[in-house]
Structures are given as structure tokens and as C-alpha cells.
């Protein structure tokens, strides 16, 4: 399974960079994951940049108005994609203005992490942690409860 996070904007602060590296390292035994950063501009142009980097497979747009899932439900969703033989999953994170309608329309799933709005850098870390948690659940390996 290959995963690609396509995110608008760079991770600027050192503490977010450290957190991202921490989870990327922990995810490496479970999946091939690359991160593509798209330049921050207006959401329509950002959207074109995002869509140009889709790597096929299934596309998930992170949006606070999207579908909520528990960590167990996300793990089951991911496991179902693996069982179906889905080769790759794109995870899209917007910038300060959010995602364009083109990107939302192109997505197979719009996923909410919470009803609250998070800064995009934090949303990236939350996604990485939940993906790591999902693999631990799928593999039935111990992790924090
Ligand atoms: C600062 S938020 C954008 C807020 C923008 N006003 C909007 O309506 O989408 C930046 C990005 O982080 C992600 N994000 C922030 N909070 C989220 C949440 N609760 N659930 C899912 N994604 C979230 C989304 O991808 C969003 O496009």
C-alpha cells in the first residue's frame, strides 16, 4: 500500500517538523508514505496543484465538514481498502482558505477530524497519528489506549 499526503503549505515550525518526522518514522514499517507540499495561493490554483499530484487509487480530502469516524472505524476503512487491493491512497489537506470545490468533488471521501478547525500543520500531524494508530489497530499491536 502506497500513501501520499498532498498538503497545501510547508511545515514551518521546528516542533511540527519534529512531530511529522516522528510519525513518518513510525509509519515506515506499515506503509510507503510520501508527502507532497503544494504552494499556498488561492484555493482554486492550489486545487489544480493538488489534483496534478494525485497518484491514482482512492482520494480522501480532510475537511471539517466531512464524515466523522472513530479511530476503529478509520482502521476498518483502511483495512477494507487494503483487502480490496487498492494500491494507493491520497490524503489531501488544505491551506488557510480550505479546499476548493474541485478537490472536494474529486474526493472519494471527505473526512473530518473533528467539528473544530485546526491549523493545517496541526491537521497533518493529527492525520499522521491517526494513520499510525489505524495500522496498530489493524495489526492488533499494542499502542496507547
Ligand atoms: C485552517 S484549515 C481551513 C479552514 C477553512 N476555513 C475551511 O473552511 O476549510 C486548513 C486545512 O486543515 C484541514 N483541517 C483543519 N481542521 C480540520 C478538521 N477538523 N477536520 C479535517 N480537516 C481539517 C483541512 O484540510 C483544511 O482545509
Amino acid at each position: 500500500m502506497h500513501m501520499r499526503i498532498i498538503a497545501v503549505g510547508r511545515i514551518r515550525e521546528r516542533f511540527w517538523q519534529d512531530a511529522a518526522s516522528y510519525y513518518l518514522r513510525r509509519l515506515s514499517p506499515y506503509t510507503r508514505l510520501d508527502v507532497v507540499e503544494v504552494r499556498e495561493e488561492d484555493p482554486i490554483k492550489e486545487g489544480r496543484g493538488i489534483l496534478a499530484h494525485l497518484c491514482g487509487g482512492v482520494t480522501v480530502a480532510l475537511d471539517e465538514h466531512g464524515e466523522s469516524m472513530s479511530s476503529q472505524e478509520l482502521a476498518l476503512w483502511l483495512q477494507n481498502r487494503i483487502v480490496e487491493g487498492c494500491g494507493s491512497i491520497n490524503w489531501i489537506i488544505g491551506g488557510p482558505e480550505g479546499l476548493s470545490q474541485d478537490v472536494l468533488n474529486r474526493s472519494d471521501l471527505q473526512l473530518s477530524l473533528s467539528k473544530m478547525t485546526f491549523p493545517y500543520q496541526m491537521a497533518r500531524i493529527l492525520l499522521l497519528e491517526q494513520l499510525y494508530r489505524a495500522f496498530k489497530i489493524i495489526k492488533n499491536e499494542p499502542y496507547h489506549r
Side-chain angles (χ1 to χ4, degrees):
M1 161 73 69
H2 169 239
M3 297 214 212
R4 171 169 290 171
I5 293 179
I6 307 173
V8 175
R10 291 178 43 235
I11 292 211
R12 295 193 182 87
E13 283 81 16
R14 182 61 196 265
F15 53 90
W16 292 131
Q17 288 170 0
D18 289 346
S21 305
Y22 176 91
Y23 285 112
L24 285 169
R25 239 186 351 264
R26 268 152 189 75
L27 277 160
S28 61
Y30 302 103
T31 184
R32 230 164 15 97
L33 196 159
D34 62 62
V35 179
V36 176
E37 292 178 337
V38 171
R39 196 153 59 91
E40 213 179 297
E41 44 194 335
D42 76 72
I44 306 262
K45 287 186 186 153
E46 287 171 358
R48 288 191 202 119
I50 289 167
L51 295 178
H53 283 102
L54 293 181
C55 61
V58 171
T59 296
V60 182
L62 269 74
D63 185 274
E64 67 200 65
H65 307 293
E67 189 178 325
S68 308
M69 287 188 196
S70 66
S71 297
Q72 291 284 347
E73 287 167 339
L74 179 63
L76 182 61
W77 182 90
L78 188 55
Q79 189 170 31
N80 286 340
R81 301 293 79 72
I82 294 168
V83 169
E84 279 171 4
C86 166
S88 51
I89 304 181
N90 302 286
W91 304 88
I92 302 176
I93 303 173
E97 306 294 326
L99 292 167
S100 69
Q101 200 54 50
D102 285 349
V103 171
L104 295 174
N105 290 343
R106 173 63 186 74
S107 307
D108 302 293
L109 169 69
Q110 294 172 27
L111 177 66
S112 168
L113 297 167
S114 153
K115 284 183 186 167
M116 295 179 184
T117 307
F118 300 117
Y120 60 90
Q121 301 179 92
M122 188 183 282
R124 197 187 307 187
I125 306 306
L126 290 172
L127 172 64
L128 286 168
E129 194 278 338
Q130 286 300 308
L131 292 177
Y132 178 57
R133 186 178 290 273
F135 279 109
K136 296 300 260 185
I137 292 169
I138 291 169
K139 302 278 181 190
N140 204 20
E141 293 173 355
Y143 186 46
H144 307 293
R145 300 287 164 219

